[in-house]
Amino acid sequence: MNQLSVLENVINVSGISFHRIVPFSPEKDKLLSLDFTAANKELIPGILNDTLLFSQWVNNKLEKNNAQYGIGGYAEHRTVYSASKVFDGNDHGEEPRRLHLGTDIWGKPNTPVIAPLDGIVHSFAFNNRFGDYGATTILSHNLQGFSFFTLFGHLSLNSIKNISDGQRITAGEIFAEFGVPAENGQWPPHLHFQVILDIGNWQGDYPGVCKFSEREKWLANSPDPDIILQMNQYLQ
């Protein structure tokens, strides 16, 4: 049985009920699916390379559709990453990273981020490059003896100001918030949420985007976050 199957089995057997990761009521709040692949012809380079214009584009989409959040992106092959050298290869001609390994939840700055289950702060960092995570926190979890990790990227600097490695975070606890562009890697405000089965030696960071040719390996270690989020069912 692979690690994903073990995690799915542990979740089913434990009967755990995950907390919403952001304030969200299915009865009144609308979720909008946002597409950042080549199929989205609206996101021209002039928008992607300008954080203000990109933020306006996201906000306009949410307002026009009366949506509380935009959501999506898992296993999405994104052209949006062409705007940052963070995702390009080190060598000329090397395949760039474009395949997204987490789920993004787009919303207002300072939106509270809630722990979906009990965890311990594994590590945190300020990954301050254009297009990177900005303020980032990684939690470790243990469900019936099975250990895994969750990564929260594009947070505010306040989110990592008063935490420490080894700190316990309780399910349902507000422990972070969406950051503004100056502190979240120069992105429109949103949360990157990623499940990681084996984090190796990474601290305060872990790839959230991989090469398309290596997708099978990376997706196996970062399964669909909706296993915890359970929000895709409400997409309209």
Side-chain angles (χ1 to χ4, degrees):
M1 185 180 293
N2 61 36
Q3 283 189 300
L4 174 56
S5 297
V6 173
L7 176 58
E8 291 173 335
N9 184 63
V10 166
I11 289 173
N12 290 332
V13 170
S14 68
I16 187 172
S17 179
F18 296 111
H19 279 265
R20 296 288 183 205
I21 200 170
V22 291
F24 171 69
S25 172
E27 293 76 22
K28 65 177 184 178
D29 295 329
K30 182 179 178 181
L31 294 180
L32 177 68
S33 178
L34 291 180
D35 179 359
F36 294 102
T37 69
N40 187 338
K41 304 301 183 183
E42 295 180 21
L43 286 176
I44 59 176
I47 293 177
L48 294 177
N49 293 321
D50 187 314
T51 305
L52 178 59
L53 291 179
F54 192 5
S55 297
Q56 290 174 345
W57 183 89
V58 172
N59 291 336
N60 288 340
K61 283 292 182 184
L62 296 181
E63 291 175 6
K64 182 179 179 180
N65 291 276
N66 195 31
Q68 181 73 10
Y69 303 105
I71 191 170
Y74 179 68
E76 195 173 66
H77 195 233
R78 291 179 160 182
T79 54
V80 65
Y81 296 125
S82 61
S84 172
K85 295 185 182 300
V86 167
F87 306 103
D88 290 339
N90 294 322
D91 300 322
H92 181 69
E94 182 181 351
E95 179 187 356
R97 294 184 295 130
R98 296 287 186 266
L99 191 91
H100 194 235
L101 299 171
T103 291
D104 287 333
I105 302 175
W106 307 81
K108 293 181 172 60
N110 306 120
T111 294
V113 176
I114 305 163
L117 71 163
D118 292 342
I120 295 173
V121 176
H122 168 271
S123 53
F124 59 95
F126 183 35
N127 298 296
N128 189 26
R129 294 184 296 172
F130 181 85
D132 211 326
Y133 286 132
T136 312
T137 295
I138 298 174
L139 302 183
S140 63
H141 309 279
N142 189 292
L143 274 182
Q144 297 190 339
F146 184 82
S147 297
F148 64 99
F149 306 84
T150 51
L151 182 149
F152 303 78
H154 309 300
L155 306 175
S156 70
L157 285 174
N158 276 338
S159 300
I160 61 173
K161 185 177 180 180
N162 297 310
I163 62 173
S164 57
D165 291 352
Q167 178 179 333
R168 292 189 176 276
I169 304 294
T170 305
E173 178 181 346
I174 296 174
F175 72 98
E177 61 186 4
F178 290 18
V180 296
E183 51 193 6
N184 78 356
Q186 293 297 325
W187 290 93
H190 74 288
L191 172 70
H192 171 97
F193 178 69
Q194 185 171 340
V195 177
I196 304 165
L197 301 182
D198 182 358
I199 202 166
N201 295 320
W202 290 87
Q203 294 283 325
D205 193 13
Y206 186 84
V209 183
C210 73
K211 297 177 181 178
F212 186 78
S213 64
E214 298 177 349
R215 62 192 181 281
E216 187 173 335
K217 174 184 71 174
W218 288 97
L219 290 173
N221 195 47
S222 285
D224 190 343
D226 202 56
I227 193 173
I228 290 176
L229 292 175
Q230 299 176 7
M231 294 177 75
N232 287 348
Q233 60 186 307
Y234 303 113
L235 277 171
Q236 298 181 22

